[in-house]
Amino acid sequence: MPNKKSLVKDYMTKNVISVNPSTPTEDVIRIMKESDHNSYPVVDENNKLVGMVTSFDILLKDWADEVKDLMSTDLVVANENLSINDASRVMFRRGISRLPVINKNEELVGIITNTDMVRSHIERSTPTKVEYFKSTMEQLYGIKTTLKRMDVDTDKLRPTQDRIYADELEGRTYELKRGLAEPAIVVKTGDRWILVDGHHRSVAAKKLGCEKIDCYVIELEKDIVLGMEKTADKAGIHTFDDIEIIDDDQHPLIAITESIKDNMNKNKRD
């Protein structure tokens, strides 16, 4: 997969809650309670960005009945084609946690946050992992493969892992709800979609009722039964219902972290 500069439009949140200058302040407070967000872009009738209103505006400024008398108009914004690295620099230097995103017509098209920046760095490591696995498959079986990123029907995925951890599942569910989950890795061989990496996020997607999941799909040029398929067959793993969810133990990485924390506390007591 060729290297490609990551752009703001690739990671921004597109479904943005916005208000207009004549929105009553009482309505903004209600929206804040319902959405758990504390700031909103303000747009005019043409969806042009004209300001931002935040909880600080409402709390620290003199009360006003409408947004237009509270909103800030001195804004830092990002163009949708700005690189992630440049956006990160702007946010760091200005000490801000989110940027409204506009297109060439100055219309609001999204918002990008520190969380999105973190997600962009997490996902940048994924193509490298996918390319390595793709090359391994080609060398192992002496075949050519193609790679594409696409949404795959959750029901089509064939799991190959016999257990997952409840706490990790909870984390992946949180990420999916907020659009933060990185793609799963799938091998398509014949008419089968073999799930290689991403069992926690796939089970989370299934439980959330998601019909599709974002995947990197490595398609083999001919039908080959993979070793992981055979292992899954022997273990009786055919659907997500066959996967055991372990809720009386922690994911190994979390367990290690807890252990280190416990040792630090013990050393302080000693």
Side-chain angles (χ1 to χ4, degrees), residues 19-43:
V19 298
N20 61 63
S22 60
T23 299
T25 303
E26 293 285 357
D27 287 354
V28 177
I29 295 173
R30 175 182 53 79
I31 295 171
M32 285 181 176
K33 291 178 179 178
E34 293 174 352
S35 68
D36 289 331
H37 295 303
N38 60 13
S39 63
Y40 303 96
V42 184
V43 297

mmCIF file of all heavy atoms in Angstrom, residues 19-43:
data_model
loop_
_atom_site.group_PDB
_atom_site.id
_atom_site.type_symbol
_atom_site.label_atom_id
_atom_site.label_comp_id
_atom_site.label_asym_id
_atom_site.label_seq_id
_atom_site.Cartn_x
_atom_site.Cartn_y
_atom_site.Cartn_z
ATOM 1 N N VAL A 19 -25.128 24.989 15.724
ATOM 2 C CA VAL A 19 -26.249 25.868 16.050
ATOM 3 C C VAL A 19 -26.149 27.090 15.158
ATOM 4 O O VAL A 19 -25.155 27.274 14.436
ATOM 5 C CB VAL A 19 -26.238 26.266 17.543
ATOM 6 C CG1 VAL A 19 -26.395 25.047 18.430
ATOM 7 C CG2 VAL A 19 -24.940 27.003 17.894
ATOM 8 N N ASN A 20 -27.150 27.934 15.186
ATOM 9 C CA ASN A 20 -27.106 29.162 14.396
ATOM 10 C C ASN A 20 -27.116 30.371 15.328
ATOM 11 O O ASN A 20 -27.383 30.240 16.526
ATOM 12 C CB ASN A 20 -28.253 29.200 13.384
ATOM 13 C CG ASN A 20 -29.609 29.166 14.048
ATOM 14 O OD1 ASN A 20 -29.974 30.069 14.798
ATOM 15 N ND2 ASN A 20 -30.366 28.104 13.802
ATOM 16 N N PRO A 21 -26.802 31.545 14.811
ATOM 17 C CA PRO A 21 -26.689 32.724 15.693
ATOM 18 C C PRO A 21 -27.937 33.038 16.496
ATOM 19 O O PRO A 21 -27.839 33.587 17.602
ATOM 20 C CB PRO A 21 -26.382 33.854 14.692
ATOM 21 C CG PRO A 21 -25.710 33.168 13.552
ATOM 22 C CD PRO A 21 -26.403 31.843 13.423
ATOM 23 N N SER A 22 -29.110 32.681 15.982
ATOM 24 C CA SER A 22 -30.350 33.007 16.694
ATOM 25 C C SER A 22 -30.834 31.877 17.597
ATOM 26 O O SER A 22 -31.913 31.973 18.194
ATOM 27 C CB SER A 22 -31.449 33.368 15.692
ATOM 28 O OG SER A 22 -31.700 32.289 14.812
ATOM 29 N N THR A 23 -30.039 30.807 17.723
ATOM 30 C CA THR A 23 -30.417 29.718 18.627
ATOM 31 C C THR A 23 -30.480 30.242 20.073
ATOM 32 O O THR A 23 -29.534 30.883 20.549
ATOM 33 C CB THR A 23 -29.398 28.563 18.561
ATOM 34 O OG1 THR A 23 -29.365 28.035 17.237
ATOM 35 C CG2 THR A 23 -29.781 27.453 19.532
ATOM 36 N N PRO A 24 -31.565 29.979 20.778
ATOM 37 C CA PRO A 24 -31.655 30.426 22.177
ATOM 38 C C PRO A 24 -30.586 29.766 23.047
ATOM 39 O O PRO A 24 -30.270 28.580 22.861
ATOM 40 C CB PRO A 24 -33.059 29.976 22.598
ATOM 41 C CG PRO A 24 -33.830 29.866 21.317
ATOM 42 C CD PRO A 24 -32.835 29.391 20.302
ATOM 43 N N THR A 25 -30.035 30.494 23.945
ATOM 44 C CA THR A 25 -29.009 29.965 24.844
ATOM 45 C C THR A 25 -29.545 28.792 25.650
ATOM 46 O O THR A 25 -28.822 27.822 25.920
ATOM 47 C CB THR A 25 -28.512 31.070 25.789
ATOM 48 O OG1 THR A 25 -28.027 32.164 25.015
ATOM 49 C CG2 THR A 25 -27.393 30.563 26.692
ATOM 50 N N GLU A 26 -30.799 28.857 26.049
ATOM 51 C CA GLU A 26 -31.417 27.757 26.792
ATOM 52 C C GLU A 26 -31.366 26.463 25.978
ATOM 53 O O GLU A 26 -31.152 25.380 26.528
ATOM 54 C CB GLU A 26 -32.872 28.099 27.140
ATOM 55 C CG GLU A 26 -33.034 29.239 28.133
ATOM 56 C CD GLU A 26 -32.691 28.837 29.558
ATOM 57 O OE1 GLU A 26 -32.374 27.639 29.788
ATOM 58 O OE2 GLU A 26 -32.723 29.705 30.451
ATOM 59 N N ASP A 27 -31.556 26.566 24.657
ATOM 60 C CA ASP A 27 -31.493 25.384 23.794
ATOM 61 C C ASP A 27 -30.079 24.813 23.749
ATOM 62 O O ASP A 27 -29.887 23.599 23.706
ATOM 63 C CB ASP A 27 -31.958 25.724 22.375
ATOM 64 C CG ASP A 27 -33.466 25.919 22.293
ATOM 65 O OD1 ASP A 27 -34.141 25.682 23.315
ATOM 66 O OD2 ASP A 27 -33.950 26.288 21.204
ATOM 67 N N VAL A 28 -29.082 25.697 23.740
ATOM 68 C CA VAL A 28 -27.687 25.243 23.724
ATOM 69 C C VAL A 28 -27.377 24.460 24.995
ATOM 70 O O VAL A 28 -26.727 23.412 24.967
ATOM 71 C CB VAL A 28 -26.716 26.430 23.581
ATOM 72 C CG1 VAL A 28 -25.270 25.937 23.651
ATOM 73 C CG2 VAL A 28 -26.967 27.168 22.273
ATOM 74 N N ILE A 29 -27.846 24.962 26.131
ATOM 75 C CA ILE A 29 -27.627 24.263 27.408
ATOM 76 C C ILE A 29 -28.271 22.886 27.373
ATOM 77 O O ILE A 29 -27.683 21.889 27.813
ATOM 78 C CB ILE A 29 -28.195 25.105 28.575
ATOM 79 C CG1 ILE A 29 -27.410 26.411 28.711
ATOM 80 C CG2 ILE A 29 -28.155 24.312 29.877
ATOM 81 C CD1 ILE A 29 -27.992 27.385 29.718
ATOM 82 N N ARG A 30 -29.470 22.806 26.824
ATOM 83 C CA ARG A 30 -30.156 21.513 26.711
ATOM 84 C C ARG A 30 -29.373 20.562 25.806
ATOM 85 O O ARG A 30 -29.194 19.383 26.129
ATOM 86 C CB ARG A 30 -31.564 21.718 26.153
ATOM 87 C CG ARG A 30 -32.325 20.417 25.888
ATOM 88 C CD ARG A 30 -33.706 20.683 25.296
ATOM 89 N NE ARG A 30 -33.627 21.525 24.116
ATOM 90 C CZ ARG A 30 -33.275 21.075 22.913
ATOM 91 N NH1 ARG A 30 -32.939 19.811 22.745
ATOM 92 N NH2 ARG A 30 -33.258 21.907 21.876
ATOM 93 N N ILE A 31 -28.881 21.066 24.678
ATOM 94 C CA ILE A 31 -28.106 20.233 23.742
ATOM 95 C C ILE A 31 -26.828 19.739 24.420
ATOM 96 O O ILE A 31 -26.415 18.591 24.240
ATOM 97 C CB ILE A 31 -27.769 21.022 22.465
ATOM 98 C CG1 ILE A 31 -29.056 21.367 21.707
ATOM 99 C CG2 ILE A 31 -26.840 20.221 21.570
ATOM 100 C CD1 ILE A 31 -28.845 22.335 20.554
ATOM 101 N N MET A 32 -26.205 20.592 25.203
ATOM 102 C CA MET A 32 -24.987 20.195 25.918
ATOM 103 C C MET A 32 -25.263 19.033 26.861
ATOM 104 O O MET A 32 -24.479 18.087 26.953
ATOM 105 C CB MET A 32 -24.416 21.383 26.701
ATOM 106 C CG MET A 32 -23.715 22.414 25.854
ATOM 107 S SD MET A 32 -23.031 23.769 26.839
ATOM 108 C CE MET A 32 -22.196 24.723 25.564
ATOM 109 N N LYS A 33 -26.385 19.094 27.558
ATOM 110 C CA LYS A 33 -26.736 18.015 28.485
ATOM 111 C C LYS A 33 -27.020 16.714 27.736
ATOM 112 O O LYS A 33 -26.652 15.633 28.197
ATOM 113 C CB LYS A 33 -27.961 18.418 29.306
ATOM 114 C CG LYS A 33 -27.705 19.537 30.305
ATOM 115 C CD LYS A 33 -28.985 19.914 31.042
ATOM 116 C CE LYS A 33 -28.752 21.014 32.055
ATOM 117 N NZ LYS A 33 -30.010 21.416 32.738
ATOM 118 N N GLU A 34 -27.644 16.826 26.587
ATOM 119 C CA GLU A 34 -28.034 15.631 25.827
ATOM 120 C C GLU A 34 -26.867 15.006 25.078
ATOM 121 O O GLU A 34 -26.821 13.791 24.901
ATOM 122 C CB GLU A 34 -29.141 15.988 24.834
ATOM 123 C CG GLU A 34 -30.463 16.375 25.503
ATOM 124 C CD GLU A 34 -31.496 16.853 24.504
ATOM 125 O OE1 GLU A 34 -31.141 17.034 23.319
ATOM 126 O OE2 GLU A 34 -32.664 17.056 24.912
ATOM 127 N N SER A 35 -25.928 15.819 24.629
ATOM 128 C CA SER A 35 -24.854 15.311 23.760
ATOM 129 C C SER A 35 -23.528 15.087 24.474
ATOM 130 O O SER A 35 -22.631 14.449 23.928
ATOM 131 C CB SER A 35 -24.623 16.294 22.607
ATOM 132 O OG SER A 35 -24.072 17.511 23.089
ATOM 133 N N ASP A 36 -23.373 15.625 25.680
ATOM 134 C CA ASP A 36 -22.122 15.523 26.437
ATOM 135 C C ASP A 36 -20.966 16.266 25.768
ATOM 136 O O ASP A 36 -19.802 15.990 26.051
ATOM 137 C CB ASP A 36 -21.723 14.046 26.652
ATOM 138 C CG ASP A 36 -22.642 13.349 27.630
ATOM 139 O OD1 ASP A 36 -23.173 14.032 28.517
ATOM 140 O OD2 ASP A 36 -22.836 12.123 27.501
ATOM 141 N N HIS A 37 -21.261 17.181 24.846
ATOM 142 C CA HIS A 37 -20.240 18.053 24.265
ATOM 143 C C HIS A 37 -20.357 19.431 24.903
ATOM 144 O O HIS A 37 -21.431 19.824 25.362
ATOM 145 C CB HIS A 37 -20.413 18.164 22.750
ATOM 146 C CG HIS A 37 -20.198 16.864 22.034
ATOM 147 N ND1 HIS A 37 -19.038 16.141 22.129
ATOM 148 C CD2 HIS A 37 -21.007 16.164 21.201
ATOM 149 C CE1 HIS A 37 -19.137 15.045 21.403
ATOM 150 N NE2 HIS A 37 -20.332 15.025 20.833
ATOM 151 N N ASN A 38 -19.239 20.176 24.897
ATOM 152 C CA ASN A 38 -19.284 21.479 25.563
ATOM 153 C C ASN A 38 -18.995 22.641 24.630
ATOM 154 O O ASN A 38 -18.772 23.762 25.083
ATOM 155 C CB ASN A 38 -18.323 21.513 26.757
ATOM 156 C CG ASN A 38 -16.882 21.254 26.338
ATOM 157 O OD1 ASN A 38 -16.553 21.281 25.162
ATOM 158 N ND2 ASN A 38 -16.037 21.002 27.315
ATOM 159 N N SER A 39 -18.950 22.383 23.327
ATOM 160 C CA SER A 39 -18.762 23.480 22.377
ATOM 161 C C SER A 39 -19.383 23.108 21.037
ATOM 162 O O SER A 39 -19.409 21.926 20.669
ATOM 163 C CB SER A 39 -17.275 23.797 22.203
ATOM 164 O OG SER A 39 -16.580 22.703 21.645
ATOM 165 N N TYR A 40 -19.860 24.138 20.326
ATOM 166 C CA TYR A 40 -20.558 23.892 19.058
ATOM 167 C C TYR A 40 -20.217 24.982 18.045
ATOM 168 O O TYR A 40 -20.177 26.174 18.393
ATOM 169 C CB TYR A 40 -22.074 23.869 19.265
ATOM 170 C CG TYR A 40 -22.499 22.848 20.281
ATOM 171 C CD1 TYR A 40 -22.710 23.224 21.612
ATOM 172 C CD2 TYR A 40 -22.647 21.505 19.943
ATOM 173 C CE1 TYR A 40 -23.070 22.289 22.566
ATOM 174 C CE2 TYR A 40 -23.002 20.571 20.896
ATOM 175 C CZ TYR A 40 -23.206 20.964 22.202
ATOM 176 O OH TYR A 40 -23.538 20.032 23.143
ATOM 177 N N PRO A 41 -19.984 24.583 16.803
ATOM 178 C CA PRO A 41 -19.805 25.586 15.745
ATOM 179 C C PRO A 41 -21.125 26.316 15.512
ATOM 180 O O PRO A 41 -22.206 25.747 15.659
ATOM 181 C CB PRO A 41 -19.431 24.740 14.518
ATOM 182 C CG PRO A 41 -19.061 23.396 15.050
ATOM 183 C CD PRO A 41 -19.842 23.215 16.299
ATOM 184 N N VAL A 42 -21.012 27.567 15.147
ATOM 185 C CA VAL A 42 -22.190 28.372 14.817
ATOM 186 C C VAL A 42 -22.144 28.662 13.317
ATOM 187 O O VAL A 42 -21.139 29.172 12.803
ATOM 188 C CB VAL A 42 -22.209 29.692 15.605
ATOM 189 C CG1 VAL A 42 -23.499 30.464 15.316
ATOM 190 C CG2 VAL A 42 -22.066 29.432 17.103
ATOM 191 N N VAL A 43 -23.218 28.320 12.610
ATOM 192 C CA VAL A 43 -23.254 28.505 11.157
ATOM 193 C C VAL A 43 -24.459 29.365 10.769
ATOM 194 O O VAL A 43 -25.468 29.400 11.475
ATOM 195 C CB VAL A 43 -23.324 27.145 10.419
ATOM 196 C CG1 VAL A 43 -22.080 26.315 10.700
ATOM 197 C CG2 VAL A 43 -24.567 26.359 10.838
#
